[in-house]
Amino acid sequence: MPTQTYFEMLEMLEAEVHPGRPGRPRHLCPVCRLTLQGVDRFLHLISLENVTDVDTRLQLRQAGGFCNRHSYQWANLHDALGTAIIYEDLLREAAKRIEKGEFLSRRSNFFGRSSSPENPFSPCPVCLYQEEIENRVASDFAGGFGEQARFRQAYAAPQVAGTCLPHYRRVVSRLDGPLAEEFSDRQREKFKATQNQLKQIIDKMDAGRKLQQNSEEERQQARSIGDEREALTRAIWQMAGLEDLS
Ligand SMILES: [Zn+2]
Ligand SMILES: [Zn+2]
């Protein structure tokens, strides 16, 4: 039974083949997009309802607050009261642990003290939630690809740039035999399209260098990058996932 997430992904893929208004963002990894949307909603939920929720406060205390990335995403919500409540609590707790000497080095040996202290905190609760969403979205993606011809067809369209490498790995590990092969073939085609555009950029730069005798204007014209410029940012997210993913 296709899920709500499945339909959201299908819509994202099909929107690429039937473009609506011009100027909207080009295709991005749908697993990244839905994961980041889920994380954003979770942070808003903490802000709206859970700041005073005992469980959330306890989790945050055990984690020593959010991780660095999620701390600044929290800061971007500009929730003055929520920040004051959470961080008054976290700082008080940290001061208690300092008072108890919990962070003092207990181990020293012949070679001296270890250079990085042990981490006494549990993982960031938003990171844990993100891991949960990423797995759910990757499962829904694999389910859609495996069971729905319409989804496979939408994904195969050349306008669709595919998933990032981290999410390709999560999806392909959930597919078997011929379906895993088919998904892998599609992924290689999409990477190849980006590679071809990157090669065009390299060729143009080379051509510009070879025109030493020509005017500056002619050299610049030979080097000017067109639509293939988009491949520069696409290559980066295809390898690493979208910004703020990890
Ligand atoms: Zn991704
Ligand atoms: Zn985190």
Side-chain angles (χ1 to χ4, degrees), residues 31-47 66-67 69-74 77 124-137 167 243-246:
V31 185
C32 279
R33 276 178 65 181
L34 289 176
T35 300
L36 293 173
Q37 277 174 21
V39 166
D40 193 54
R41 268 200 295 266
F42 185 58
L43 281 166
H44 274 93
L45 195 72
I46 294 178
S47 167
F66 302 111
C67 67
R69 174 168 46 106
H70 291 134
S71 295
Y72 290 95
Q73 282 184 21
W74 169 265
L77 298 184
C124 159
V126 186
C127 283
L128 291 177
Y129 182 73
Q130 180 177 324
E131 178 69 19
E132 216 180 286
I133 307 181
E134 266 183 292
N135 280 327
R136 186 164 47 75
V137 178
H167 289 142
E243 194 176 353
D244 287 332
L245 184 78
S246 59

Coordinates of all heavy atoms in Angstrom, one line a residue, residues 31-47 66-67 69-74 77 124-137 167 243-246:
V31 N 14.9 11.9 -1.3 CA 15.1 11.4 0.1 C 15.6 12.5 1.0 O 15.2 12.7 2.1 CB 15.9 10.1 0.1 CG1 16.0 9.5 1.5 CG2 15.4 9.0 -0.9
C32 N 16.6 13.2 0.4 CA 17.2 14.3 1.2 C 16.1 15.4 1.5 O 16.0 15.8 2.6 CB 18.3 15.1 0.3 SG 19.9 14.3 0.3
R33 N 15.3 15.7 0.5 CA 14.3 16.8 0.7 C 13.3 16.4 1.7 O 13.0 17.2 2.6 CB 13.6 17.1 -0.7 CG 14.4 18.0 -1.5 CD 13.7 18.3 -2.8 NE 12.4 18.9 -2.7 CZ 11.7 19.2 -3.8 NH1 12.0 18.9 -5.0 NH2 10.5 19.9 -3.6
L34 N 12.8 15.2 1.7 CA 11.8 14.8 2.7 C 12.4 14.6 4.0 O 11.7 14.9 5.1 CB 11.0 13.5 2.2 CG 10.1 13.7 1.0 CD1 9.5 12.4 0.5 CD2 9.0 14.7 1.3
T35 N 13.6 14.2 4.1 CA 14.3 14.0 5.4 C 14.5 15.4 6.0 O 14.2 15.6 7.2 CB 15.7 13.3 5.2 OG1 15.5 12.0 4.7 CG2 16.4 13.2 6.5
L36 N 15.0 16.3 5.2 CA 15.2 17.7 5.8 C 13.9 18.4 6.2 O 13.9 19.1 7.2 CB 16.0 18.5 4.8 CG 17.5 18.0 4.6 CD1 18.2 18.8 3.5 CD2 18.3 18.1 5.9
Q37 N 12.9 18.1 5.4 CA 11.6 18.7 5.8 C 11.1 18.1 7.1 O 10.5 18.8 8.0 CB 10.5 18.3 4.7 CG 10.5 19.3 3.5 CD 9.5 18.8 2.4 OE1 8.6 18.0 2.7 NE2 9.7 19.2 1.2
G38 N 11.3 16.8 7.3 CA 10.9 16.1 8.5 C 11.7 16.7 9.7 O 11.1 16.9 10.8
V39 N 13.0 16.9 9.6 CA 13.8 17.4 10.7 C 13.3 18.8 11.0 O 13.2 19.2 12.2 CB 15.3 17.5 10.2 CG1 16.1 18.3 11.2 CG2 15.8 16.0 10.2
D40 N 13.0 19.6 10.0 CA 12.5 21.0 10.2 C 11.2 21.0 11.0 O 11.0 21.7 12.0 CB 12.4 21.7 8.9 CG 12.2 23.1 9.0 OD1 13.1 23.8 9.6 OD2 11.2 23.7 8.5
R41 N 10.3 20.1 10.6 CA 9.0 20.0 11.3 C 9.2 19.5 12.8 O 8.6 20.0 13.7 CB 8.1 18.9 10.6 CG 7.2 19.6 9.6 CD 6.0 18.7 9.3 NE 6.5 17.4 8.7 CZ 6.5 17.2 7.4 NH1 6.1 18.2 6.6 NH2 6.9 16.1 6.9
F42 N 10.2 18.6 13.0 CA 10.5 18.1 14.4 C 11.0 19.3 15.3 O 10.6 19.4 16.4 CB 11.5 17.0 14.3 CG 11.8 16.3 15.6 CD1 10.8 15.7 16.3 CD2 13.1 16.3 16.1 CE1 11.1 15.0 17.5 CE2 13.4 15.6 17.3 CZ 12.4 15.0 18.0
L43 N 11.9 20.1 14.7 CA 12.4 21.2 15.5 C 11.3 22.2 15.8 O 11.2 22.7 16.9 CB 13.5 21.9 14.7 CG 14.9 21.2 14.8 CD1 15.9 21.8 13.8 CD2 15.5 21.3 16.2
H44 N 10.4 22.4 14.8 CA 9.3 23.3 15.1 C 8.4 22.8 16.2 O 7.8 23.5 17.0 CB 8.5 23.6 13.8 CG 9.0 24.7 13.0 ND1 9.9 24.5 12.0 CD2 8.8 26.0 13.0 CE1 10.2 25.7 11.4 NE2 9.5 26.6 12.0
L45 N 8.2 21.5 16.1 CA 7.3 20.8 17.1 C 7.9 21.0 18.5 O 7.2 21.3 19.5 CB 7.2 19.3 16.8 CG 6.1 18.6 17.5 CD1 4.7 19.0 17.0 CD2 6.2 17.1 17.3
I46 N 9.2 20.8 18.7 CA 9.9 21.0 20.0 C 9.6 22.4 20.4 O 9.3 22.7 21.6 CB 11.4 20.7 19.9 CG1 11.7 19.3 19.6 CG2 12.1 21.1 21.2 CD1 13.2 18.9 19.4
S47 N 9.7 23.4 19.5 CA 9.5 24.8 19.8 C 8.1 25.1 20.2 O 7.8 25.7 21.2 CB 9.9 25.6 18.6 OG 9.5 26.9 18.7
F66 N 21.6 19.9 21.6 CA 21.6 19.4 20.2 C 23.0 19.3 19.7 O 23.9 20.0 20.3 CB 20.9 20.5 19.3 CG 19.5 20.8 19.6 CD1 19.1 22.0 20.1 CD2 18.5 19.8 19.5 CE1 17.8 22.3 20.5 CE2 17.1 20.1 19.8 CZ 16.8 21.4 20.3
C67 N 23.3 18.6 18.6 CA 24.6 18.6 18.0 C 24.9 19.9 17.4 O 24.0 20.8 17.3 CB 24.7 17.5 17.0 SG 23.7 17.8 15.5
R69 N 25.2 21.0 14.3 CA 24.4 21.4 13.1 C 23.0 21.7 13.6 O 22.4 22.7 13.2 CB 24.4 20.2 12.2 CG 23.4 20.3 11.0 CD 23.8 19.3 10.0 NE 24.0 18.0 10.6 CZ 23.1 17.0 10.5 NH1 22.0 17.1 9.9 NH2 23.3 15.8 11.1
H70 N 22.4 20.9 14.4 CA 21.0 21.1 14.8 C 20.9 22.2 15.8 O 19.8 22.8 16.0 CB 20.4 19.8 15.4 CG 20.2 18.8 14.3 ND1 20.6 17.4 14.4 CD2 19.7 18.9 13.0 CE1 20.3 16.8 13.2 NE2 19.8 17.7 12.4
S71 N 22.0 22.6 16.6 CA 21.9 23.7 17.5 C 21.6 25.0 16.6 O 20.8 25.8 17.0 CB 23.3 23.9 18.1 OG 23.5 22.9 19.0
Y72 N 22.3 25.1 15.5 CA 22.2 26.3 14.7 C 20.9 26.3 13.9 O 20.3 27.4 13.6 CB 23.4 26.6 13.8 CG 24.5 27.0 14.8 CD1 25.4 26.1 15.3 CD2 24.6 28.3 15.3 CE1 26.4 26.4 16.2 CE2 25.5 28.7 16.2 CZ 26.5 27.7 16.7 OH 27.4 28.1 17.6
Q73 N 20.3 25.1 13.6 CA 19.0 25.1 13.0 C 18.0 25.5 14.0 O 17.0 26.2 13.7 CB 18.7 23.7 12.5 CG 19.4 23.4 11.2 CD 19.0 22.0 10.6 OE1 18.0 21.4 10.9 NE2 19.9 21.5 9.7
W74 N 18.2 25.1 15.3 CA 17.3 25.5 16.3 C 17.4 27.1 16.5 O 16.4 27.7 16.6 CB 17.7 24.9 17.7 CG 17.0 25.5 18.8 CD1 17.5 26.5 19.6 CD2 15.7 25.2 19.3 NE1 16.5 26.8 20.6 CE2 15.4 26.1 20.4 CE3 14.6 24.3 18.9 CZ2 14.2 26.1 21.0 CZ3 13.4 24.3 19.5 CH2 13.2 25.2 20.6
L77 N 15.2 29.2 14.4 CA 13.8 29.4 14.6 C 13.5 30.6 15.4 O 12.3 31.0 15.5 CB 13.3 28.1 15.4 CG 13.4 26.8 14.8 CD1 12.7 25.7 15.7 CD2 12.7 26.7 13.5
C124 N 22.6 13.2 19.8 CA 21.6 14.3 19.7 C 20.2 13.7 19.3 O 20.1 12.9 18.4 CB 22.1 15.2 18.6 SG 20.9 16.3 17.8
P125 N 19.1 14.2 20.0 CA 17.8 13.6 19.7 C 17.3 13.9 18.3 O 16.6 13.1 17.7 CB 16.9 14.2 20.8 CG 17.7 15.3 21.4 CD 19.1 15.1 21.1
V126 N 17.7 15.0 17.8 CA 17.3 15.3 16.4 C 18.0 14.4 15.4 O 17.4 14.0 14.4 CB 17.5 16.8 16.1 CG1 16.9 17.2 14.7 CG2 16.9 17.7 17.1
C127 N 19.3 14.1 15.6 CA 20.0 13.2 14.8 C 19.4 11.8 14.8 O 19.2 11.2 13.8 CB 21.5 13.1 15.2 SG 22.5 14.4 14.7
L128 N 18.9 11.4 16.0 CA 18.3 10.1 16.1 C 17.0 10.1 15.3 O 16.7 9.1 14.6 CB 18.0 9.8 17.6 CG 19.2 9.5 18.5 CD1 18.8 9.2 19.9 CD2 19.9 8.2 17.9
Y129 N 16.2 11.2 15.4 CA 15.0 11.3 14.7 C 15.2 11.3 13.2 O 14.5 10.7 12.4 CB 14.2 12.6 15.1 CG 12.9 12.7 14.5 CD1 11.8 12.0 14.8 CD2 12.7 13.7 13.5 CE1 10.6 12.1 14.2 CE2 11.5 13.8 12.8 CZ 10.4 13.0 13.2 OH 9.2 13.2 12.6
Q130 N 16.3 12.0 12.8 CA 16.6 12.1 11.3 C 16.9 10.7 10.8 O 16.5 10.3 9.7 CB 17.8 13.0 11.1 CG 18.2 13.1 9.7 CD 19.4 14.0 9.4 OE1 19.5 15.1 10.0 NE2 20.2 13.7 8.4
E131 N 17.7 9.9 11.6 CA 18.0 8.5 11.1 C 16.7 7.7 10.9 O 16.6 7.0 9.9 CB 18.9 7.9 12.3 CG 19.3 6.5 12.0 CD 20.3 6.3 10.9 OE1 21.0 7.3 10.5 OE2 20.4 5.2 10.4
E132 N 15.8 7.9 11.8 CA 14.5 7.2 11.7 C 13.8 7.6 10.4 O 13.3 6.8 9.7 CB 13.7 7.7 12.9 CG 12.8 6.6 13.5 CD 12.0 7.3 14.7 OE1 12.7 7.5 15.7 OE2 10.8 7.6 14.6
I133 N 13.7 8.9 10.2 CA 13.0 9.4 8.9 C 13.7 8.9 7.7 O 13.1 8.5 6.7 CB 13.0 11.0 8.8 CG1 12.4 11.6 10.1 CG2 12.1 11.4 7.6 CD1 12.4 13.1 9.9
E134 N 15.0 9.0 7.7 CA 15.8 8.6 6.5 C 15.5 7.2 6.1 O 15.3 6.8 5.0 CB 17.3 8.8 6.7 CG 17.8 10.1 6.2 CD 19.3 10.3 6.4 OE1 19.7 10.3 7.6 OE2 20.0 10.3 5.4
N135 N 15.5 6.3 7.2 CA 15.2 4.9 6.9 C 13.8 4.7 6.4 O 13.6 3.9 5.5 CB 15.4 4.1 8.2 CG 16.9 3.8 8.4 OD1 17.6 3.7 7.5 ND2 17.3 3.8 9.7
R136 N 12.8 5.5 7.0 CA 11.4 5.3 6.5 C 11.3 5.8 5.1 O 10.7 5.1 4.3 CB 10.5 6.1 7.5 CG 9.0 5.9 7.2 CD 8.1 6.4 8.3 NE 8.5 7.7 8.9 CZ 8.2 8.8 8.2 NH1 7.6 8.8 7.1 NH2 8.5 10.0 8.8
V137 N 11.9 7.0 4.8 CA 11.7 7.5 3.4 C 12.4 6.6 2.4 O 11.9 6.3 1.3 CB 12.3 8.9 3.3 CG1 12.2 9.5 1.9 CG2 11.5 9.9 4.2
H167 N 21.9 8.2 -0.3 CA 20.6 7.6 -0.3 C 20.4 6.5 -1.4 O 19.6 5.6 -1.2 CB 19.5 8.7 -0.5 CG 19.4 9.6 0.8 ND1 19.3 10.9 0.8 CD2 19.5 9.2 2.1 CE1 19.3 11.3 2.1 NE2 19.4 10.3 2.9
E243 N 22.9 20.0 1.6 CA 23.5 20.7 2.7 C 22.6 20.4 4.0 O 21.4 20.4 3.9 CB 23.5 22.2 2.4 CG 24.4 22.9 3.4 CD 24.5 24.4 3.0 OE1 24.0 24.8 1.9 OE2 25.1 25.1 3.8
D244 N 23.3 20.3 5.1 CA 22.6 20.0 6.4 C 22.1 18.6 6.6 O 21.5 18.3 7.6 CB 21.4 21.0 6.6 CG 21.8 22.4 6.9 OD1 23.0 22.5 7.4 OD2 21.1 23.3 6.6
L245 N 22.5 17.7 5.6 CA 22.0 16.3 5.8 C 22.8 15.6 6.9 O 22.3 14.8 7.7 CB 22.2 15.6 4.5 CG 21.6 14.1 4.5 CD1 20.1 14.1 4.5 CD2 22.2 13.3 3.4
S246 N 24.1 15.9 6.9 CA 25.0 15.3 8.0 C 26.1 16.2 8.4 O 26.4 17.2 7.8 CB 25.5 14.0 7.5 OG 26.3 14.2 6.4

